[in-house]
């Protein structure tokens, strides 16, 4: 299966600053990656679909200007949380699919905005 | 509305005991049903994937069952180990959707005590 690596695993930032989270597919060229957000004791919620070389597709209710996604290569997608606020504190997870039925997830990034 | 409901929300068992987690879904038609294990602060890891025509699938001490008529699935864990302590998430992929249409349950938090 695909190996998906996220960085950083934890980040604390001040309110109003921006934070970039990287998602790398280490052994698979991924034309599509997915970004999820997970609040404590809640389900993973899809935020957006990252498409290599084109604009991301955002789910309803997700602000595209706040959550900037860049998928510049087949192995890297980045999620930038701009002007972060405490309510953006959450667990962010990316995933990659390999064309079959399997989805592989990164280890997640715990964002805390203070 | 497509939903995936899991029960119980949390469960405590003693090491060596068996347990069964439940998943009820309203997604129809669906392509496949997956069970994932998510350790605290980590991304989900796949345990089993079943298509609508499969009734059971095993992965070591994990056995998943599926009843497409009643729209129920279960995950049975035998001879539990301390390392089984995690959240177990039931995920359904609708038939018409791509991977961005994965529907996640809220998970069952399992704690295995010595």
């Amino acid at each position: 299966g695909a190996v998906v690596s996220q960085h950083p695993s934890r980040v604390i930032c001040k309110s109003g600053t921006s934070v970039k989270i990287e998602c790398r597919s280490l052994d698979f060229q991924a034309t599509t990656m997915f970004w999820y957000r997970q609040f404590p004791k809640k389900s993973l919620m899809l935020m957006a679909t990252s498409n290599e070389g084109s604009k991301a597709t955002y789910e309803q209710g997700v602000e595209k200007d706040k959550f900037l996604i860049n998928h510049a290569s087949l192995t890297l997608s980045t999620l930038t949380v701009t002007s972060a606020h405490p309510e953006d504190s959450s667990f962010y997870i990316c995933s990659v699919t390999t064309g079959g039925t399997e989805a592989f997830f990164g280890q997640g990034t715990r964002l805390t905005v203070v | 509305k497509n939903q995936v409901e899991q029960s119980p929300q949390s469960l405590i068992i003693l090491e060596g005991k068996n347990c069964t987690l439940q998943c009820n879904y309203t997604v129809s038609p669906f392509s496949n049903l997956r069970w994932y294990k998510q350790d605290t602060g980590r991304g989900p890891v796949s345990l089993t994937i079943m298509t609508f025509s499969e009734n059971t699938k095993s992965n070591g001490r994990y056995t998943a069952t599926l009843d497409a008529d009643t729209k129920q699935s279960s995950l049975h864990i035998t001879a539990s180990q301390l390392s089984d302590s995690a959240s177990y998430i039931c995920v359904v992929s609708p038939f018409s959707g791509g991977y961005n249409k994965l529907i996640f349950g809220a998970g069952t938090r399992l704690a295995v005590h010595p």
Side-chain angles (χ1 to χ4, degrees), chain A residues 38 43 46 97 100-102 106-107, chain B residues 34 38 43 46 99-100 105-106:
Chain A
Q38 185 179 31
S43 305
L46 180 66
T97 59
T101 58
E102 187 61 271
Q107 64 267 51
Chain B
R34 316 153 185 230
Q38 184 178 21
S46 178
Y99 292 100
N100 58 327

Side-chain angles (χ1 to χ4, degrees), chain B residues 76-90:
Chain B
H76 187 72
I77 304 174
T78 59
S80 61
Q81 300 176 358
L82 298 178
S83 59
D84 292 332
S85 296
S87 284
Y88 292 84
I89 305 172
C90 177

